[in-house]
Amino acid sequence: MGFLLDLTPWHWLTAAVFLLVIEMVVGSYYLLWVSFAAFLVAIIQWMFGISWGSQMVLFSAISVMSVIAWYLYDLKRDKTSTRPNLNKRGHQYIGRTFQLSHPIINGVGKINVDDSTWKVRGDDAPLDTTVKVVDIDGTILIVKILGDK
């Protein structure tokens, strides 16, 4: 227990950084606030030189209050994504129209989308037919024929 008597701001800053590193691995946001509490105690210890008992009480109080505040904020905030298809590239193409770059033969063809080529599935159609993407199955776009070019 003797080391507690010699707690310096550097100990608290080290604890804050260590907690931040753990937070980066875990990603829960709760350790972020405990790290924030350690950082505040470091500043207060540096400015006022408070006793180790006061440091522990202050650290505990700030940690609990900040974690509860984050929890209450997290309950109320809107977690609906503004871009639900951000990491679903194929889903972004549903509803768009394209020209066939390879004819659909036996239900399978290809289209050029931006800088890539996508496999499509639909009714047989000749080259340059306009198709509309109506769904996606894995990495294959399901298309409906709209007409010739």
Side-chain angles (χ1 to χ4, degrees):
M1 287 290 274
F3 72 93
L4 288 177
L5 298 175
D6 297 325
L7 283 177
T8 67
W10 292 109
H11 291 102
W12 289 107
L13 287 174
T14 303
V17 170
F18 181 70
L19 288 166
L20 274 178
V21 169
I22 293 173
E23 174 59 42
M24 285 186 224
V25 173
V26 176
S28 66
Y29 289 108
Y30 290 102
L31 287 178
L32 174 69
W33 302 109
V34 178
S35 174
F36 171 73
F39 181 73
L40 281 181
V41 172
I43 291 173
I44 292 169
Q45 167 62 4
W46 175 68
M47 291 175 67
F48 303 109
I50 60 177
S51 69
W52 73 270
S54 299
Q55 292 175 46
M56 293 300 166
V57 169
L58 192 60
F59 174 70
S60 300
I62 294 172
S63 293
V64 169
M65 287 188 304
S66 61
V67 167
I68 289 172
W70 167 254
Y71 178 76
L72 293 175
Y73 168 77
D74 193 40
L75 283 177
K76 293 178 184 176
R77 74 183 175 106
D78 183 19
K79 296 177 188 150
T80 307
S81 174
T82 57
R83 298 187 61 193
N85 293 327
L86 180 63
N87 292 321
K88 299 177 184 176
R89 187 171 172 203
H91 287 82
Q92 297 174 9
Y93 302 133
I94 294 176
R96 289 183 57 189
T97 58
F98 301 97
Q99 304 291 94
L100 289 175
S101 60
H102 293 75
I104 300 178
I105 300 172
N106 296 327
V108 179
K110 292 183 181 180
I111 59 173
N112 289 330
V113 179
D114 299 328
D115 61 347
S116 60
T117 302
W118 284 74
K119 189 182 249 186
V120 296
R121 191 169 60 216
D123 296 331
D124 288 356
L127 183 67
D128 291 332
T129 302
T130 303
V131 293
K132 180 178 184 177
V133 178
V134 293
D135 199 3
I136 185 166
D137 181 20
T139 59
I140 300 173
L141 300 174
I142 310 301
V143 296
K144 177 178 133 186
I145 298 170
L146 295 180
D148 294 332
K149 185 175 180 180

